[in-house]
Amino acid sequence: RLRGRLLRVAATGFVLSLGIALLLSFALDAAGLVETPLIVAVIVSSTGLGVVIAVLKDSGQISSEFGQLLIVGASLADFGAIVLLTLLFSRDASSPGARALLLGGFALLAVVAGLAIAGAGRWSRLNRALTSLQDTTAQIRVRGSMVLLMAFVALAETLGLETILGAFIAGAILSAIDPDRMMTHPAFRQKLEAMGFGLFIPVFFVSSGLGFDLASLTSSASALARVPVFLGTLLLVHAVPVYLTARGLVGSRRAMAAGLLESTTLSFVVATAAIGMELGLLGRATGAALIAAGLLSVLLFPVMATSLLGSDAEPVGGPTVAE
């Protein structure tokens, strides 16, 4: 469904988001609130796709036109921010042009790897082996997905690209080559979700919390004042474009809810702020304020969006606009 009107609306919203992010980031730079406006623009243009999907799943909206529009928009923002981070702010010292070539080569390698794995999956003997071992203590499909993840993360690191790009590509390959249309292993994705939401995501946020520089954030009133400024920036960057482009498709109330959900982001903020501080592009107070704003966005915006969806006249999981 990543085509047609949904894609046009989501892509238009993403382009508008980038434009607003650049304008606001340079305004923040002129006000002396940020050190490198370009990396701040990349950070605030991102969306927490995992948060969006979780809310849509829990509200029964994931298969509706509203849910699909939101997933497409969040995916563009998520993947677009990762690509921009890789091209503009990689730890590698090479030029953006050289990084673009590396990124193209990495994408080509991902396609080749995906086609090779998909071709191997058509071998009936291999399929029988996978099916027989998938629910035993071997957990062969889960282990295979972990190998794919580690391989692309290691390859991205070796090429000087950001490791989060490697993780994202590994997930995209897995989704493309293993759709399980015959429902031969429906528990596989549940196992991965259990690992992600039950183990890796909590560990990520615990480790991020341990590394959070609260002292820098509370060191001055100006540092604390940046938190609501960055939170408002996230809202303006996402909610305004989504409302303008989506209200004709899903209605004003749902467009506002979509804007709030697309304004939520944290994991990308944490990862990118760490990269920015390591490269000397962000001060410690700025990085801590960005992370605090991302944390508040995850705490506040999904609750507000769920409230809007719950008060909608159309019941959750009801007919789509197209219907």
Side-chain angles (χ1 to χ4, degrees), residues 280-300:
L281 302 173
L282 291 176
R284 300 197 67 82
T286 304
L290 282 166
I291 294 172
L295 177 61
L296 287 175
S297 77
V298 173
L299 291 174
L300 298 177

Side-chain angles (χ1 to χ4, degrees), residues 26-275:
F26 279 99
L28 292 173
D29 179 48
L33 296 178
V34 300
E35 295 80 14
T36 308
L38 196 54
I39 194 171
V40 174
V42 172
I43 290 174
V44 298
S45 66
S46 67
T47 291
L49 180 59
V51 176
V52 171
I53 290 177
V55 172
L56 291 175
K57 274 189 172 185
D58 292 342
S59 65
Q61 293 276 2
I62 200 164
S63 297
S64 68
E65 188 169 33
F66 165 77
Q68 290 298 306
L69 173 66
L70 196 47
I71 289 175
V72 172
S75 298
L76 288 176
D78 204 8
F79 185 68
I82 291 173
V83 171
L84 287 172
L85 174 67
T86 301
L87 287 175
L88 300 174
F89 301 105
S90 177
R91 293 181 178 88
D92 186 18
S94 59
S95 66
R99 288 199 293 270
L101 288 176
L102 279 176
L103 185 62
F106 186 70
L108 180 61
L109 184 60
V111 171
V112 172
L115 292 173
I117 297 171
R122 296 191 184 96
W123 187 23
S124 59
R125 183 175 295 180
L126 177 61
N127 268 328
R128 287 195 298 271
L130 290 174
T131 302
S132 65
L133 295 172
Q134 65 186 8
D135 293 320
T136 66
T137 54
Q139 294 293 335
I140 194 65
R141 290 187 185 276
V142 174
R143 294 187 186 189
S145 67
M146 292 297 102
V147 169
L148 186 68
L149 168 67
M150 290 186 286
F152 274 91
V153 165
L155 181 61
E157 178 73 20
T158 301
L159 293 177
L161 303 174
E162 294 305 329
T163 54
I164 53 176
L165 177 65
F168 190 96
I169 291 294
I173 291 175
L174 187 63
S175 178
I177 66 176
D178 193 15
D180 194 25
R181 294 186 180 92
M182 302 301 292
M183 296 298 289
T184 57
H185 46 282
F188 171 54
R189 301 208 173 200
Q190 295 176 1
K191 294 173 185 177
L192 292 183
E193 285 188 2
M195 292 172 62
F197 290 109
L199 176 62
F200 293 129
I201 290 176
V203 167
F204 171 80
F205 284 115
V206 168
S207 63
S208 300
L210 288 171
F212 180 59
D213 194 352
L214 183 61
S216 294
L217 182 63
T218 57
S219 61
S220 65
S222 62
L224 280 173
R226 296 178 200 182
V227 177
V229 171
F230 291 150
L231 185 64
T233 300
L234 283 171
L235 194 59
L236 289 173
V237 166
H238 295 282
V240 172
V242 171
Y243 181 78
L244 292 176
T245 57
R247 62 178 177 175
L249 186 64
V250 298
S252 296
R253 187 183 296 277
R254 290 191 171 195
M256 286 190 288
L260 286 166
L261 285 174
E262 285 208 22
S263 301
T264 60
T265 180
L266 182 56
S267 56
F268 184 81
V269 174
V270 172
T272 310
I275 292 169

